[in-house]
Amino acid sequence: MIDSEIMVGTGLRITVAKDELASKLTTVARGVSTRTAVLVLGGIQLRAEAGRLHLAATDMEVSLRGSVDAQVADEGTVVVPGRLLLDIARSLPDSDVSIEHRPEEAVVVVSSGTATYRLHTYSAEDFPRLPDVETLPLHSVDRDALVETISRVGRSASRDESRPVLTGILVRFEPGKVVMAATDSYRLAVKETPVEGTLPELEAIIPARALQELARIATGSDELQLGLLENHVVFGADGTWLTTRRIDGQFPNYRQLLPEQFEHELLLPREELLEVVRRVSLMAQRNSP
């Protein structure tokens, strides 16, 4: 996800259904970078070929890709401001959307009904090259087990980017189970979830943000697919592909932190305890030590 591939715009011209475009853009746009000085990372790549419009966005840590059916008059590739395109797609009339790239003007014209927008483009040559999913060996993974495990441990990951390893979740596949662990050095969450079937060999520290994004796009999907690369992991759900880098480093030995027995154990009513915690936590101000 750090290589570049030359993709010169050739006058892309398509028509696509507004609802399908807006829905796919809503997912893909979550991969658009909001904090970088590299302008092209704030864009969404549009690639039209063989009756499909392919969309892609990346912030160099996480990439999201998807596609929709389209009437393709001219094939081509172009990169346009991502968030702006999403806002425009959502606001268009409920009809077909025409998207036309005019390379000589360096603009893309988006029109639907009486609405017409002209968007300046980014250099398609500078958009990062993403792993080729079509040639990647894929494994089917238990979606429910993966999503449940992510939801249990994800909140314990750190947001302090000065310690990158702690911003990730340790993911390990063992025979018959998925194991995940996350810690911000103050709290620790570990979850082992039984699974059926054979799992590929995997032990990696994956950014918590990427796995939480995966849980979002995988909810409601029928199947979850996994592809493994040396430096990246690829997940697929219902035609949406998420690629994320592996975090280099040594994850803390969390097993040493888990006590084998406890001096006292209490059995409490769950809902009542949660309600009391909610009421008391109102007095814990976020900015206080």
Side-chain angles (χ1 to χ4, degrees), residues 21-31 64 83 86 90 213:
L21 176 65
S23 175
K24 193 59 67 174
L25 279 171
T26 299
T27 298
V28 172
R30 297 184 67 87
L64 286 164
R83 302 285 181 182
L86 172 60
R90 286 171 169 170
E213 195 63 51

Side-chain angles (χ1 to χ4, degrees), residues 44-65:
I44 289 179
Q45 182 194 70
L46 307 179
R47 177 171 56 87
E49 63 177 19
R52 302 284 293 179
L53 173 64
H54 302 270
L55 306 98
T58 180
D59 62 3
M60 302 304 289
E61 180 179 86
V62 176
S63 77
L64 286 164
R65 285 176 281 178

